Amino acid sequence: MRALVAGAVAVTTVLGMTACGGGSTDEPGGEDISSGSRQLKLVAYAVPKPGFDKIIPAFRATPEGRHIGFSQSYGASGDQSRKVARRVPADVVNFSVEPDISRLVKEGVVDEDWKTQAPNNSTPFGSVVALVVRKGNPKNIRDWDDLLKPGVQVITPNPGSSGSAKWNLLAPYSAKSDGGRNPQAGLDYVSKLVRDHITVQPKSGREATTAFEQGQGDVLISYENEAIMLTRESTEQRQQVEYVIPPQTFKIENPVAVVNTSTDKPAAKSFVSFLFTPEGQRLWAQTGFRPVIPEVIEETASLFPGRIERLWTIAELGKVLGQGTANENDGKDLTGWKAVDTALFGSKGAITQIYNTGGRK
């Protein structure tokens, strides 16, 4: 029903590039990745940096990537998207949520058909929402209701800047609302969580992880891949953690796109294609991200222990929340992220209003 994996956590340093972007001297794993007669600029949300630290050198070792150097920028997904919308140079973008790419389509920076330009709707990897707790699980956190116990302090980013925050909140919202069919029950849960238990609201998923590493909070709502990273990295006994996959959780899908203002579209497309190769997919899995091609999903299943009873998706939730929106949307009900963002996270969204009022009605 749930996975509980023990491990240890090291206090990490948030690199300057995580907050404000890395330049041409980026060196994942100590290997220079900046040199090359061709150059690509990767702009991504903060969480997948460990994956790209493996992916980029592997791509550069292929015939297609041997002459391509990289510069990178990592940060909160929404903030990164807004930067590219303002024409900050980029060739490839990887964001936490689809609306952050939709913003670029609206601004003319990404093609409208971006989802068909790569496999799996241009989503090369994903994850599920997990709960990271201290070693021994002293608060006995097993499921979403446990986060509402008196005195439990929860860390999750602010959904105004962070895509990971949206995923984190969609998991309990969906579990409590039966996938949006009882929306008030889901909103009541989120209100209580925000009002009484969320004590720290960092800008990004990676900043939330760092806050938890530094001893803040009892529970970190996070991507499974972040939880896996935490269990692998520690050498300090006092910082050891475990993670729990709740019986009901949410499927995280993190899209990628080629920017149409790229100065080297062939190189950008070649890099995106590599993300979906068996080699690239194995590297994603090895760094804690769930692969998306069937052969590697099966091959790496042991890396993702536990059994999820109900895995909610954006497609399911969007279909429910978008019902009855046709009159305001050219005769068609909203679906997917358009429906979810409008109902929950837009300027008039219900969860946005909860955050604006601190969870108080």
Side-chain angles (χ1 to χ4, degrees):
M1 292 176 60
R2 50 186 71 89
L4 188 62
V5 183
V9 171
V11 177
T12 61
T13 300
V14 178
L15 301 178
M17 63 186 292
T18 300
C20 60
S24 61
T25 57
D26 296 345
E27 296 183 3
E31 179 177 345
D32 173 41
I33 62 165
S34 63
S35 60
S37 58
R38 304 162 72 182
Q39 292 289 317
L40 287 181
K41 301 176 184 68
L42 170 66
V43 177
Y45 70 110
V47 169
K49 182 182 181 299
F52 282 117
D53 284 353
K54 301 292 185 181
I55 288 284
I56 291 174
F59 172 66
R60 281 168 51 85
T62 67
E64 295 80 9
R66 62 182 299 185
H67 298 299
I68 299 175
F70 283 78
S71 62
Q72 303 168 95
S73 171
Y74 297 97
S77 187
D79 291 348
Q80 293 290 81
S81 173
R82 284 183 280 271
K83 282 167 53 178
V84 178
R86 296 194 301 268
R87 301 305 195 270
V88 168
D91 298 288
V92 176
V93 294
N94 175 217
F95 295 140
S96 178
V97 292
E98 184 178 316
D100 287 337
I101 293 184
S102 298
R103 175 185 290 114
L104 303 188
V105 174
K106 184 177 180 180
E107 295 297 325
V109 179
V110 167
D111 295 339
E112 290 188 5
D113 65 348
W114 66 273
K115 292 177 73 173
T116 67
Q117 293 179 8
N120 195 47
N121 289 323
S122 291
T123 302
F125 62 87
S127 193
V128 298
V129 178
L131 303 175
V132 187
V133 298
R134 304 298 175 187
K135 177 69 174 178
N137 198 0
K139 300 288 186 176
N140 194 27
I141 303 299
R142 305 287 177 178
D143 206 345
W144 296 109
D145 283 341
D146 296 326
L147 271 59
L148 302 186
K149 292 178 180 177
V152 173
Q153 296 184 347
V154 178
I155 295 179
T156 187
N158 190 306
S161 61
S162 170
S164 65
K166 293 182 179 182
W167 294 116
N168 291 353
L169 296 169
L170 287 178
Y173 173 85
S174 297
K176 293 301 175 183
S177 69
D178 188 27
R181 293 173 182 83
N182 183 1
Q184 193 57 52
L187 295 174
D188 287 345
Y189 178 93
V190 174
S191 293
K192 292 176 184 177
L193 186 69
V194 171
R195 183 182 66 239
D196 300 328
H197 300 277
I198 294 179
T199 56
V200 180
Q201 297 181 32
K203 291 185 64 177
S204 73
R206 177 49 53 83
E207 290 183 16
T209 297
T210 300
F212 189 73
E213 288 179 304
Q214 293 174 343
Q216 299 183 59
D218 302 301
V219 183
L220 170 70
I221 310 179
S222 190
Y223 292 7
E224 179 189 39
N225 53 274
E226 284 286 277
I228 290 172
M229 179 194 72
L230 289 176
T231 65
R232 290 175 178 174
E233 289 190 349
S234 174
T235 56
E236 296 186 25
Q237 186 71 23
R238 65 183 177 83
Q239 291 292 342
Q240 287 187 339
V241 303
E242 303 172 355
Y243 76 88
V244 178
I245 303 295
Q248 293 194 52
T249 189
F250 211 91
K251 182 180 181 182
I252 296 168
E253 301 167 276
N254 308 125
V256 66
V258 172
V259 176
N260 59 28
T261 56
S262 169
T263 57
D264 195 339
K265 282 188 181 179
K269 291 179 180 180
S270 181
F271 177 62
V272 169
S273 294
F274 179 78
L275 306 181
F276 294 89
T277 63
E279 180 183 3
Q281 290 284 289
R282 292 186 188 101
L283 290 172
W284 286 123
Q286 291 166 15
T287 50
F289 299 86
R290 295 199 175 211
V292 298
I293 66 173
E295 64 183 276
V296 182
I297 291 174
E298 183 176 356
E299 177 186 323
T300 61
S302 63
L303 298 178
F304 306 98
R307 182 168 63 88
I308 298 169
E309 294 178 359
R310 186 67 167 90
L311 186 63
W312 297 99
T313 69
I314 279 292
E316 289 180 283
L317 185 60
K319 184 176 181 179
V320 173
L321 295 183
Q323 290 176 358
T325 61
N327 289 340
E328 296 83 30
N329 296 283
D330 299 323
K332 293 183 179 181
D333 281 349
L334 295 177
T335 59
W337 263 111
K338 288 184 179 179
V340 172
D341 238 18
T342 299
L344 301 178
F345 297 114
S347 59
K348 298 180 180 179
I351 290 180
T352 297
Q353 298 307 311
I354 289 172
Y355 269 79
N356 288 344
T357 61
R360 294 171 176 80
K361 297 181 179 179

